[in-house]
Amino acid sequence: MAETSAETGTDTGAEAVREQAVEAALSKLDLDTKARLLAGQDMWSLPALPEIGLKSLVMSDGPIGVRGVRWTADDPSIALPSPTALAATWDPALARRAGRLLAQEARRKGVHVLLAPTVNLHRSPLGGRHFEAYSEDPYLTGRIGTGYVQGVQDGGVGTTVKHFVANDAETDRFTVDNKVAARPLRELYLAPFEAIVENAHAWGIMTAYNQVNGVTMTEHRYLVNEVLRGEWGFDGFNVSDWMAARSTTGAVEGGLDVAMPGPHTVYGEALAEAVRAGEVEESTVDTAVRNVLRLAARVGALDGAPPVVAEPPATIDGDALAREIARRGFVLVRNENGVLPLAAGRSVALSGAAARDARVLGGGSAQVFPDHTVSPLDGLSAALPEGALTFTVGADPSDELAPADQGFTLRAVCRDAEGTVLGEGTLPNGQVQWIGDDLPAGVTHESLASVEVVGTFTPRESGEHSFGTRGLGAFTLTVAGETVYDGVQAMGPETDPFEAFFGAPVERAKVALTAGETVEVSLLHPLDREFAAPLPAVMFSFVHLGPRRDPDELIAEAVAAARAADTAVVVVATTERVESEGFDRKDLALPGRQDELVRAVAAVNPNTVVVVNAGSPVEMPWREDVAAILLSWFPGQEGGAALADVLTGAEEPGGRLPTTWPAALADAPVTGTTPTDGELPYAEGVFIGYRAWDRAGTLPAYAFGHGLGYTTWSYDSLEATSERATVRITNTGTRPGRETVQIYLAPLSDTVERPERWLAGFGSVEAAPGESVEIEIPLPRRAFEIWDEERNAWIHVPGAYEVRAAHSLADTRLTAALEV
């Protein structure tokens, strides 16, 4: 019988065979081939080396779905809820099931490595990419990330835990030098990475764009070679974030194995020349190649090496799991007078543009294209009896043009300089984003002279429709057979072509159209090398905005509908211009006139329920004026169906807050994301998130860990040792439910500076009405330790602690004294 490693769960006999295959393959490679392998082949893959039986290793974004290597909807992807939603489930086992589903998707698309998960922390609520990270708490982040990585690797697919390390904001992310003292670096920012390496044996890490304490992360010899590999025993591969590697010798000696995207990176010829010049030892290159070959062996891409997973896990129903994660992640933060679940037979007035056109996922590299999405309007229409539901727009979060979507059927026609068609590709919407080799079949960047977006548009509403462009260069826009714009967009104040592309769209024409009457549309874009992106890319958008009605009139319609209904449900949302990769938020306000809509509806209907469709915190100045608030995050493709499940009471909302929700940005103790002279000091030390709120002595709108269900619980007993807490609870309500039991440690007379309390463990239980259940929650030794900067080591802090069994940080139910 094969021997299995208790630490990694891998077959140690097979592991030895894989290592032998790696060494045999390495011995056959010359310097130039090794350097070429580490440089990458294109946007998403490494070169195949048939002479050693190495297949091309393929990587793909992203955390909530597997896009594959093409920007197309021809091969749709399951779109799971945002990582904040997954963290809100507080369920590592559910995260593991999500990972297994994504591995299934990756295998279907020929992908070996998923560029996920993101385990940076919610240091400031302004972080633009927080929807893609889990939590403000390192322990919760590490537990959810461990489950996710275990699940993906259960399916034989690699992960790259990212972005190593302290990439906690987007402002100047390519250059910022984050100044982080050793203690917060260890206790907060490195902690999730350490936990995942230790408990999930991660096969990959992605190093970040930023610097930490003066050294860029792709060259950080101390954090990569000494900490990650030396102390933690990481034996996987280290890939750069895309375009992050800057120095050939600095990167390879700093432990960077692969510089992406290829083929023109700091590796390749430059690396081979550095070895020949005596600047780099060839043995250092061999170490990097060995790490890449080990990954290939694990995922089954190296001949003679048995893959870690020979038989993938049982097939998972992706739609069903997406729906389950969504409802399990919904956080009910307010429910006055039991307005939820909705009573049977009651009428519902639904409002908010996001109820019809839901934002199911975040922007940037996390983008995937599901084959369907269920909006709140779709979900409630299917769940409620005919005639019970009305819908009004009420307010739109955005009055900007956005990539053509609802009602459009589009494809891209690619031509050479003579006008000959080279190839065509369907488009998921009006956004063209072809980077690297992601071009329609038969098209190359060298031959491509123009792209024409062509198709049809069937309006939902009559009136003046706005059409426009986003991007740089020449455009010719045609609607219903008439050329409505022919001109050039020059570079504006943006200094980065990517910023220009993702920046503000420009209206070019208004055209009166009739609902239901289909018209032909076209946007011709000749390519201009003057506006070439930093790497081979075609990036522009055909944008549209429906007829604008008087905002006061829209709110008045919603108010009239709400006044006539038993219950009003208002869906409010952020937009891609508010929350996305590449920039941080300026404030936490909901865009447009959504706050006014909520206030107006709540004034006429005491049973007003607000659904918040945002990936991270927003201000809710009306929160005391409404009956219920449900946070739905970016809920994935099945979000509307899950919402109907929860609102009607078919299912219970299962989420607990993974991050503190401030009442106002001004109250938040840590907000800074903008560097000064290139530096961003993490001056708050170990005090971020609820640790910082406790220190400041201020109260947020909703505390870390908060979330309501549809039943009630009594906490009956708590027994605690230094290794575990045992809690007995009873479902005292009238329906089955699930409770997340949270354990916090609070030092009673501290000899060192520490937070007032911190999360030390958690677990979930289910129980029927009247049933009592017991849960045993392990307390890790690390919960009693701090990083001693003088000794450069973890030290155990003895003394008296209070162990708190809690429903949330602010709702302690039982305490026990503990001396360690």
Side-chain angles (χ1 to χ4, degrees), residues 378-517:
D378 297 333
L380 286 169
S381 297
L384 296 176
E386 191 171 345
L389 181 71
T390 62
F391 170 71
T392 55
V393 171
D396 197 318
S398 175
D399 58 1
E400 284 190 334
L401 289 83
D405 193 358
Q406 298 288 341
F408 288 86
T409 301
L410 303 172
R411 68 186 194 280
V413 180
C414 302
R415 297 183 176 90
D416 64 15
E418 280 71 50
T420 304
V421 173
L422 300 170
E424 295 189 11
T426 60
L427 292 173
N429 53 37
Q431 183 171 332
V432 176
Q433 184 172 313
W434 297 332
I435 303 177
D437 291 342
D438 182 6
L439 293 167
V443 182
T444 65
H445 285 285
E446 291 71 27
S447 60
L448 182 61
S450 72
V451 178
E452 185 177 13
V453 176
V454 296
T456 60
F457 173 47
T458 307
R460 291 188 296 198
E461 297 151 316
S462 298
E464 282 205 324
H465 288 253
S466 299
F467 294 87
T469 62
R470 184 168 64 175
L472 301 174
F475 294 96
T476 303
L477 175 61
T478 305
V479 179
E482 182 182 346
T483 298
V484 293
Y485 174 75
D486 188 3
V488 176
Q489 176 63 42
M491 177 78 84
E494 305 92 347
T495 56
D496 179 342
F498 282 119
E499 188 180 341
F501 169 72
F502 287 116
V506 181
E507 181 182 296
R508 302 300 185 185
K510 281 189 168 72
V511 182
L513 299 174
T514 304
E517 292 188 7

Side-chain angles (χ1 to χ4, degrees), residues 536-549:
V538 179
M539 301 167 69
F540 69 97
S541 291
F542 173 31
V543 294
H544 166 262
L545 183 67
R548 294 290 85 189
R549 292 182 51 204

Side-chain angles (χ1 to χ4, degrees), residues 37-38 40-49 53-60 69 110-115 156-158 203 237 239 242 258 260 288-302:
L37 174 65
L38 303 182
Q41 167 175 265
D42 52 29
M43 188 67 187
W44 302 113
S45 70
L46 305 188
L49 300 177
L54 176 67
K55 300 179 183 69
S56 174
L57 279 167
V58 178
M59 296 170 266
S60 172
V69 298
V111 168
H112 301 104
V113 181
L114 190 59
L115 301 172
V157 173
W203 298 348
F237 95 125
V239 62
W242 266 226
V258 173
M260 288 295 287
V289 173
R290 188 176 285 115
N291 293 331
V292 173
L293 295 177
R294 185 179 295 120
L295 172 70
R298 286 171 170 163
V299 300
L302 181 64

